[in-house]
PDB file of all heavy atoms in Angstrom:
ATOM      1  N   LEU A  12     -47.514  76.088  27.843  1.00 79.00           N
ATOM      2  CA  LEU A  12     -47.392  76.070  29.285  1.00 79.00           C
ATOM      3  C   LEU A  12     -47.320  77.482  29.854  1.00 79.00           C
ATOM      4  O   LEU A  12     -47.883  77.778  30.908  1.00 79.00           O
ATOM      5  CB  LEU A  12     -46.147  75.256  29.710  1.00 79.00           C
ATOM      6  CG  LEU A  12     -46.214  73.735  29.503  1.00 79.00           C
ATOM      7  CD1 LEU A  12     -44.857  73.104  29.810  1.00 79.00           C
ATOM      8  CD2 LEU A  12     -47.315  73.123  30.344  1.00 79.00           C
ATOM      9  N   ARG A  13     -46.609  78.384  29.124  1.00 81.00           N
ATOM     10  CA  ARG A  13     -46.545  79.790  29.547  1.00 81.00           C
ATOM     11  C   ARG A  13     -47.900  80.433  29.526  1.00 81.00           C
ATOM     12  O   ARG A  13     -48.309  81.162  30.441  1.00 81.00           O
ATOM     13  CB  ARG A  13     -45.590  80.558  28.637  1.00 81.00           C
ATOM     14  CG  ARG A  13     -44.118  80.247  28.889  1.00 81.00           C
ATOM     15  CD  ARG A  13     -43.266  81.252  28.160  1.00 81.00           C
ATOM     16  NE  ARG A  13     -41.860  80.981  28.399  1.00 81.00           N
ATOM     17  CZ  ARG A  13     -40.954  80.805  27.458  1.00 81.00           C
ATOM     18  NH1 ARG A  13     -41.322  80.812  26.175  1.00 81.00           N
ATOM     19  NH2 ARG A  13     -39.702  80.565  27.782  1.00 81.00           N
ATOM     20  N   GLU A  14     -48.661  80.137  28.485  1.00 81.00           N
ATOM     21  CA  GLU A  14     -50.033  80.684  28.390  1.00 81.00           C
ATOM     22  C   GLU A  14     -50.906  80.152  29.523  1.00 81.00           C
ATOM     23  O   GLU A  14     -51.677  80.902  30.154  1.00 81.00           O
ATOM     24  CB  GLU A  14     -50.651  80.266  27.035  1.00 81.00           C
ATOM     25  CG  GLU A  14     -52.106  80.792  26.877  1.00 81.00           C
ATOM     26  CD  GLU A  14     -52.762  80.252  25.624  1.00 81.00           C
ATOM     27  OE1 GLU A  14     -52.066  79.593  24.833  1.00 81.00           O
ATOM     28  OE2 GLU A  14     -53.974  80.437  25.484  1.00 81.00           O
ATOM     29  N   LEU A  15     -50.796  78.843  29.801  1.00 78.00           N
ATOM     30  CA  LEU A  15     -51.587  78.247  30.885  1.00 78.00           C
ATOM     31  C   LEU A  15     -51.171  78.852  32.225  1.00 78.00           C
ATOM     32  O   LEU A  15     -52.070  79.120  33.101  1.00 78.00           O
ATOM     33  CB  LEU A  15     -51.348  76.726  30.883  1.00 78.00           C
ATOM     34  CG  LEU A  15     -52.024  75.932  32.012  1.00 78.00           C
ATOM     35  CD1 LEU A  15     -53.553  76.108  31.918  1.00 78.00           C
ATOM     36  CD2 LEU A  15     -51.660  74.439  31.909  1.00 78.00           C
ATOM     37  N   ALA A  16     -49.873  79.052  32.462  1.00 79.00           N
ATOM     38  CA  ALA A  16     -49.436  79.651  33.735  1.00 79.00           C
ATOM     39  C   ALA A  16     -49.994  81.028  33.929  1.00 79.00           C
ATOM     40  O   ALA A  16     -50.421  81.396  35.037  1.00 79.00           O
ATOM     41  CB  ALA A  16     -47.893  79.660  33.783  1.00 79.00           C
ATOM     42  N   GLY A  17     -50.053  81.824  32.853  1.00 81.00           N
ATOM     43  CA  GLY A  17     -50.630  83.173  32.945  1.00 81.00           C
ATOM     44  C   GLY A  17     -52.068  83.132  33.293  1.00 81.00           C
ATOM     45  O   GLY A  17     -52.581  83.959  34.105  1.00 81.00           O
ATOM     46  N   ARG A  18     -52.842  82.217  32.688  1.00 81.00           N
ATOM     47  CA  ARG A  18     -54.264  82.120  32.990  1.00 81.00           C
ATOM     48  C   ARG A  18     -54.498  81.705  34.413  1.00 81.00           C
ATOM     49  O   ARG A  18     -55.407  82.195  35.084  1.00 81.00           O
ATOM     50  CB  ARG A  18     -54.918  81.118  32.026  1.00 81.00           C
ATOM     51  CG  ARG A  18     -54.947  81.555  30.557  1.00 81.00           C
ATOM     52  CD  ARG A  18     -55.511  80.464  29.661  1.00 81.00           C
ATOM     53  NE  ARG A  18     -56.857  80.113  30.069  1.00 81.00           N
ATOM     54  CZ  ARG A  18     -57.522  79.035  29.611  1.00 81.00           C
ATOM     55  NH1 ARG A  18     -56.883  78.206  28.741  1.00 81.00           N
ATOM     56  NH2 ARG A  18     -58.756  78.787  30.007  1.00 81.00           N
ATOM     57  N   LEU A  19     -53.694  80.778  34.924  1.00 78.00           N
ATOM     58  CA  LEU A  19     -53.871  80.332  36.286  1.00 78.00           C
ATOM     59  C   LEU A  19     -53.553  81.424  37.331  1.00 78.00           C
ATOM     60  O   LEU A  19     -54.258  81.555  38.335  1.00 78.00           O
ATOM     61  CB  LEU A  19     -52.939  79.110  36.565  1.00 78.00           C
ATOM     62  CG  LEU A  19     -53.273  77.796  35.864  1.00 78.00           C
ATOM     63  CD1 LEU A  19     -52.176  76.763  36.068  1.00 78.00           C
ATOM     64  CD2 LEU A  19     -54.614  77.276  36.401  1.00 78.00           C
ATOM     65  N   LYS A  20     -52.537  82.235  37.037  1.00 78.00           N
ATOM     66  CA  LYS A  20     -52.185  83.325  37.945  1.00 78.00           C
ATOM     67  C   LYS A  20     -53.274  84.410  37.981  1.00 78.00           C
ATOM     68  O   LYS A  20     -53.560  85.008  39.016  1.00 78.00           O
ATOM     69  CB  LYS A  20     -50.874  83.951  37.548  1.00 78.00           C
ATOM     70  CG  LYS A  20     -49.664  83.010  37.755  1.00 78.00           C
ATOM     71  CD  LYS A  20     -48.378  83.679  37.286  1.00 78.00           C
ATOM     72  CE  LYS A  20     -47.198  82.722  37.479  1.00 78.00           C
ATOM     73  NZ  LYS A  20     -45.933  83.309  36.979  1.00 78.00           N
ATOM     74  N   ALA A  21     -53.921  84.622  36.812  1.00 79.00           N
ATOM     75  CA  ALA A  21     -54.944  85.676  36.741  1.00 79.00           C
ATOM     76  C   ALA A  21     -56.290  85.186  37.256  1.00 79.00           C
ATOM     77  O   ALA A  21     -57.143  86.001  37.612  1.00 79.00           O
ATOM     78  CB  ALA A  21     -55.058  86.156  35.308  1.00 79.00           C
ATOM     79  N   ALA A  22     -56.507  83.896  37.299  1.00 79.00           N
ATOM     80  CA  ALA A  22     -57.806  83.344  37.681  1.00 79.00           C
ATOM     81  C   ALA A  22     -57.970  83.297  39.182  1.00 79.00           C
ATOM     82  O   ALA A  22     -56.982  83.303  39.950  1.00 79.00           O
ATOM     83  CB  ALA A  22     -57.992  81.947  37.085  1.00 79.00           C
ATOM     84  N   GLY A  23     -59.224  83.296  39.588  1.00 75.00           N
ATOM     85  CA  GLY A  23     -59.533  83.131  41.009  1.00 75.00           C
ATOM     86  C   GLY A  23     -59.349  81.687  41.446  1.00 75.00           C
ATOM     87  O   GLY A  23     -59.146  80.754  40.640  1.00 75.00           O
ATOM     88  N   HIS A  24     -59.508  81.460  42.779  1.00 70.00           N
ATOM     89  CA  HIS A  24     -59.250  80.120  43.336  1.00 70.00           C
ATOM     90  C   HIS A  24     -60.147  79.068  42.738  1.00 70.00           C
ATOM     91  O   HIS A  24     -59.749  77.974  42.395  1.00 70.00           O
ATOM     92  CB  HIS A  24     -59.392  80.153  44.864  1.00 70.00           C
ATOM     93  CG  HIS A  24     -59.214  78.797  45.486  1.00 70.00           C
ATOM     94  ND1 HIS A  24     -58.031  78.102  45.511  1.00 70.00           N
ATOM     95  CD2 HIS A  24     -60.137  78.019  46.139  1.00 70.00           C
ATOM     96  CE1 HIS A  24     -58.214  76.938  46.105  1.00 70.00           C
ATOM     97  NE2 HIS A  24     -59.463  76.858  46.505  1.00 70.00           N
ATOM     98  N   ARG A  25     -61.450  79.374  42.619  1.00 75.00           N
ATOM     99  CA  ARG A  25     -62.408  78.412  42.182  1.00 75.00           C
ATOM    100  C   ARG A  25     -62.419  78.235  40.669  1.00 75.00           C
ATOM    101  O   ARG A  25     -63.077  77.342  40.115  1.00 75.00           O
ATOM    102  CB  ARG A  25     -63.807  78.760  42.654  1.00 75.00           C
ATOM    103  CG  ARG A  25     -63.923  78.759  44.163  1.00 75.00           C
ATOM    104  CD  ARG A  25     -65.357  79.060  44.620  1.00 75.00           C
ATOM    105  NE  ARG A  25     -65.497  79.038  46.043  1.00 75.00           N
ATOM    106  CZ  ARG A  25     -65.704  77.932  46.764  1.00 75.00           C
ATOM    107  NH1 ARG A  25     -65.801  76.761  46.168  1.00 75.00           N
ATOM    108  NH2 ARG A  25     -65.823  78.004  48.058  1.00 75.00           N
ATOM    109  N   GLU A  26     -61.684  79.102  39.921  1.00 79.00           N
ATOM    110  CA  GLU A  26     -61.699  79.030  38.479  1.00 79.00           C
ATOM    111  C   GLU A  26     -60.514  78.186  37.942  1.00 79.00           C
ATOM    112  O   GLU A  26     -60.539  77.778  36.759  1.00 79.00           O
ATOM    113  CB  GLU A  26     -61.546  80.467  37.882  1.00 79.00           C
ATOM    114  CG  GLU A  26     -62.748  81.326  38.234  1.00 79.00           C
ATOM    115  CD  GLU A  26     -62.542  82.767  37.774  1.00 79.00           C
ATOM    116  OE1 GLU A  26     -61.404  83.064  37.291  1.00 79.00           O
ATOM    117  OE2 GLU A  26     -63.462  83.558  37.886  1.00 79.00           O
ATOM    118  N   ARG A  27     -59.532  77.858  38.765  1.00 77.00           N
ATOM    119  CA  ARG A  27     -58.342  77.171  38.294  1.00 77.00           C
ATOM    120  C   ARG A  27     -58.623  75.704  37.886  1.00 77.00           C
ATOM    121  O   ARG A  27     -58.006  75.170  36.992  1.00 77.00           O
ATOM    122  CB  ARG A  27     -57.244  77.188  39.384  1.00 77.00           C
ATOM    123  CG  ARG A  27     -56.723  78.606  39.635  1.00 77.00           C
ATOM    124  CD  ARG A  27     -55.780  78.628  40.831  1.00 77.00           C
ATOM    125  NE  ARG A  27     -55.379  79.992  41.159  1.00 77.00           N
ATOM    126  CZ  ARG A  27     -54.811  80.359  42.296  1.00 77.00           C
ATOM    127  NH1 ARG A  27     -54.596  79.408  43.235  1.00 77.00           N
ATOM    128  NH2 ARG A  27     -54.442  81.591  42.517  1.00 77.00           N
ATOM    129  N   GLY A  28     -59.546  75.118  38.565  1.00 78.00           N
ATOM    130  CA  GLY A  28     -59.884  73.709  38.264  1.00 78.00           C
ATOM    131  C   GLY A  28     -60.414  73.560  36.851  1.00 78.00           C
ATOM    132  O   GLY A  28     -59.996  72.649  36.094  1.00 78.00           O
ATOM    133  N   ALA A  29     -61.316  74.471  36.470  1.00 83.00           N
ATOM    134  CA  ALA A  29     -61.890  74.402  35.109  1.00 83.00           C
ATOM    135  C   ALA A  29     -60.810  74.691  34.080  1.00 83.00           C
ATOM    136  O   ALA A  29     -60.813  74.088  33.004  1.00 83.00           O
ATOM    137  CB  ALA A  29     -63.015  75.392  34.998  1.00 83.00           C
ATOM    138  N   ILE A  30     -59.899  75.630  34.379  1.00 82.00           N
ATOM    139  CA  ILE A  30     -58.843  75.962  33.432  1.00 82.00           C
ATOM    140  C   ILE A  30     -57.935  74.720  33.219  1.00 82.00           C
ATOM    141  O   ILE A  30     -57.544  74.421  32.099  1.00 82.00           O
ATOM    142  CB  ILE A  30     -58.014  77.153  33.935  1.00 82.00           C
ATOM    143  CG1 ILE A  30     -58.883  78.412  33.960  1.00 82.00           C
ATOM    144  CG2 ILE A  30     -56.757  77.354  33.088  1.00 82.00           C
ATOM    145  CD1 ILE A  30     -58.234  79.606  34.551  1.00 82.00           C
ATOM    146  N   MET A  31     -57.631  74.010  34.289  1.00 79.00           N
ATOM    147  CA  MET A  31     -56.762  72.830  34.198  1.00 79.00           C
ATOM    148  C   MET A  31     -57.417  71.717  33.430  1.00 79.00           C
ATOM    149  O   MET A  31     -56.785  70.980  32.632  1.00 79.00           O
ATOM    150  CB  MET A  31     -56.340  72.357  35.583  1.00 79.00           C
ATOM    151  CG  MET A  31     -55.339  73.275  36.269  1.00 79.00           C
ATOM    152  SD  MET A  31     -53.794  73.453  35.376  1.00 79.00           S
ATOM    153  CE  MET A  31     -53.185  71.777  35.411  1.00 79.00           C
ATOM    154  N   LEU A  32     -58.735  71.522  33.649  1.00 84.00           N
ATOM    155  CA  LEU A  32     -59.440  70.484  32.922  1.00 84.00           C
ATOM    156  C   LEU A  32     -59.452  70.805  31.412  1.00 84.00           C
ATOM    157  O   LEU A  32     -59.294  69.900  30.577  1.00 84.00           O
ATOM    158  CB  LEU A  32     -60.884  70.355  33.425  1.00 84.00           C
ATOM    159  CG  LEU A  32     -61.047  69.695  34.790  1.00 84.00           C
ATOM    160  CD1 LEU A  32     -62.517  69.787  35.229  1.00 84.00           C
ATOM    161  CD2 LEU A  32     -60.585  68.250  34.733  1.00 84.00           C
ATOM    162  N   ASP A  33     -59.636  72.082  31.048  1.00 81.00           N
ATOM    163  CA  ASP A  33     -59.657  72.471  29.617  1.00 81.00           C
ATOM    164  C   ASP A  33     -58.275  72.242  29.016  1.00 81.00           C
ATOM    165  O   ASP A  33     -58.178  71.743  27.887  1.00 81.00           O
ATOM    166  CB  ASP A  33     -60.090  73.921  29.540  1.00 81.00           C
ATOM    167  CG  ASP A  33     -60.054  74.415  28.099  1.00 81.00           C
ATOM    168  OD1 ASP A  33     -60.842  73.906  27.242  1.00 81.00           O
ATOM    169  OD2 ASP A  33     -59.236  75.312  27.801  1.00 81.00           O
ATOM    170  N   ALA A  34     -57.213  72.615  29.711  1.00 80.00           N
ATOM    171  CA  ALA A  34     -55.849  72.473  29.183  1.00 80.00           C
ATOM    172  C   ALA A  34     -55.501  70.972  29.102  1.00 80.00           C
ATOM    173  O   ALA A  34     -54.847  70.550  28.102  1.00 80.00           O
ATOM    174  CB  ALA A  34     -54.842  73.161  30.120  1.00 80.00           C
ATOM    175  N   ALA A  35     -55.932  70.163  30.030  1.00 80.00           N
ATOM    176  CA  ALA A  35     -55.634  68.732  29.967  1.00 80.00           C
ATOM    177  C   ALA A  35     -56.287  68.097  28.780  1.00 80.00           C
ATOM    178  O   ALA A  35     -55.713  67.209  28.082  1.00 80.00           O
ATOM    179  CB  ALA A  35     -56.101  68.025  31.274  1.00 80.00           C
TER     180      ALA A  35
END
Side-chain angles (χ1 to χ4, degrees):
L12 290 175
R13 286 193 179 123
E14 179 188 353
L15 177 60
R18 292 175 60 191
L19 290 173
K20 292 177 181 177
H24 175 66
R25 296 183 179 276
E26 298 174 353
R27 293 173 185 165
I30 295 174
M31 288 299 298
L32 287 174
D33 177 63

